[in-house]
Amino acid sequence: MPVSADIIEALRLELRRGNLILAVLGTLRSEKYGYTLKTELGGLGIEIDEGALYPMLRRLETQGLLTSEWREDAKRQKRFYRLSDDGAAALAQLAGEWRAMNASLSSILKGVGS
Amino acid sequence: MARDERVTLEYLEGSWVMNPIWDYVKKVERHLPAARRTEVAGALYATLKARKESMEKAKGAKATDAEIADMLAAEGDPLRVAERIAGPPGQHDLVSRYLASVERHLPREGVLDVMAELREALRAKIEEAEERLGRAASADEIAAVLKGFGAPPVVAARYEGRMQLIGPVLYPWFWPTQRTALGLVAAVFLVLTALRALGTDRPIQALLARLDNLLGLGLMAFAAVTLVFIAVERWGDPVKLLEDRWDPKTLPRDNIRKPRSLFESGVSLFFDVLFILVWLKFVPFPNELPLRDGASVSIVLSPAWSVVYWPILALALLSAAGRLHDMVRPAWNRLRSGISIACYAGGLVVLWLLFQGRPFVDVQPRPGTSPEELERALRLVDGVLLVSLGLTALVWAIALGLEVWRQVKASRLSRGAPPLMAA
């Protein structure tokens, strides 16, 4: 029996969730506001809904991984985010984890889906 | 602006001291339309806060009170500022309605900050759409942008960021439903127990003796409602259902009427159903009026009521249908308003017919009642009904006028909707 599209979608979302946080933290090594962050991620092939992005940014800020400030840009008030010192340390740790995991997975998945 | 919001934002600023920027925002807020109050006040706060911070950055020190006062004075009179930033009614209708809907589901802490950011994000998204189109976005195109952003309860729930047994779509209904269910169970139990107790020799003792059953019934009602919610959450996938079906154009217009709470609708529905049951004689209504020891009269409705028996039943059913509709869609809408208008107008016609056929009641003697007592009882009950039905007619006439006015207002706002712009 083929796996239903709903199950595949749920698994895909689960797979993406952690990676998205890593992508957001990595991109915010330089300061950005929500819209430019989304555009930059989209340009790199990582699509994220605004409805999910903004709450995620706020959560990461509450966790101390990001800092933010309201500032005027192009005559409009925007909230700019960047990685905090704690966020940079967490990113370095998570990036190490991800690389190790990626290397293992590449070996495990050799020949799958290609 | 509520004190807790102000305190929260002062806290976010890292200061618990009263803040002149807040006082200013509060003054502007008083002149803003209710539906846009939090959203616009949040944006203004963000603007002024950013201005203060850039001033502090430039001089390398904290801004003094005098400098902040100068900055606020340069901003202008609060009334003019409110008019400038809120814009004419209807211009930002759809985006404002969306933001107001998200706001209703957000936790109070930091709500203004979230609203300001969402507003800016939506503006950027709509501008992107307009750039692509090469013209101003139509209402349909703005609705499509909002639809892509996500249904308000789902977007708001993401800010809470915790897994829930009952998800974001159903959760706003969970506690109101529990309260309504518990209220209904308690009311039905008390009414039925009281009616039964009245038939005993010691009604108060009989009532008190049965009260302990209420706790068990309440717990059962709570468990039943919780199980229904969990089942719907597990097998109904309400988030997907809502995301697929919600239409930004049906977002509530808070500026027309405050949405009815589930509790309010539930209580009204209970009384409507109780009236229908009494009217159909499924539930007996005590109609004996004691006059003195050993003498009483039975009150029965006069023949005038037989003419309006079916219209009254139809109006009560229509009213109950309206309450049910309120429970599903609590915000004001034209269908619900139409039902109210029909009920009030129909009710006034019924009352007019009853007034034509006075007296409202007949009295039937019980053994031991004299003709004078009978006459006095008739005058008393008829007089009480005359005053109460007269007041009812007055209230319904005012309510009818208000509802017609809301329909007119909604028509005007709908006409004003096409030139929708980014907020």
Side-chain angles (χ1 to χ4, degrees), chain B residues 253 255-256 332-334 337-338 341 400-416:
Chain B
R253 293 177 188 280
N255 50 346
I256 301 242
W332 187 95
N333 65 62
R334 301 187 82 164
S337 171
I341 289 174
L400 177 65
L402 276 175
E403 216 50 69
V404 169
W405 174 78
R406 285 185 186 122
Q407 287 274 1
V408 173
K409 192 174 168 186
S411 305
R412 283 186 193 151
L413 278 174
S414 300
R415 275 203 299 275

Side-chain angles (χ1 to χ4, degrees), chain B residues 176-235:
Chain B
T177 308
Q178 286 288 16
R179 281 199 299 271
T180 308
L182 291 175
L184 287 178
V185 165
V188 170
F189 175 83
L190 289 173
V191 167
L192 293 179
T193 309
L195 286 173
R196 275 189 206 149
L198 283 173
T200 63
D201 293 337
R202 295 179 161 187
I204 294 185
Q205 284 89 334
L207 183 67
L208 291 175
R210 287 172 187 156
L211 269 186
D212 55 348
N213 295 332
L214 187 57
L215 181 65
L217 278 173
L219 286 172
M220 275 169 61
F222 183 86
V225 169
T226 307
L227 284 176
V228 168
F229 270 78
I230 291 172
V232 175
E233 192 65 55
R234 174 72 185 77
W235 290 290

Side-chain angles (χ1 to χ4, degrees), chain A residues 6 9 17 31 33-36 38-39 48-59 61-62 68-73 75-81, chain B residues 12 43 46-51 53-54 57 109-110 112-114 116-118 120-121 123-125 127-128 148-150 154-155 158-161 237 240:
Chain A
D6 284 354
E9 180 61 14
R17 200 167 292 138
E31 188 182 67
Y33 63 93
Y35 183 72
T36 49
K38 181 194 156 21
T39 315
I48 180 167
D49 291 341
E50 285 97 336
L53 176 64
Y54 288 98
M56 183 200 285
L57 289 172
R58 190 155 283 258
R59 238 181 6 258
E61 189 184 8
T62 312
S68 77
E69 75 170 325
W70 281 97
R71 219 173 46 235
E72 196 168 290
D73 176 72
K75 292 190 176 172
R76 286 228 297 267
Q77 293 303 320
K78 289 164 185 168
R79 190 188 187 114
F80 285 85
Y81 292 90
Chain B
L12 287 175
T47 305
L48 295 174
K49 190 181 155 195
R51 202 166 292 164
E53 281 170 1
S54 60
K57 218 175 204 174
E109 190 180 329
L112 291 187
D113 222 27
V114 172
E117 188 173 42
L118 280 183
E120 176 52 34
R123 191 201 325 235
K125 223 170 145 54
E127 279 181 3
E128 184 193 51
F149 215 84
V154 180
V155 170
R158 286 182 181 140
Y159 280 93
E160 298 213 34
D237 200 353
K240 187 170 184 311

Side-chain angles (χ1 to χ4, degrees), chain B residues 322-343:
Chain B
R323 310 295 185 198
L324 271 176
H325 181 269
D326 277 346
M327 293 173 94
V328 182
R329 290 190 53 189
W332 187 95
N333 65 62
R334 301 187 82 164
L335 171 66
R336 174 69 190 92
S337 171
I339 293 177
S340 295
I341 289 174
C343 286

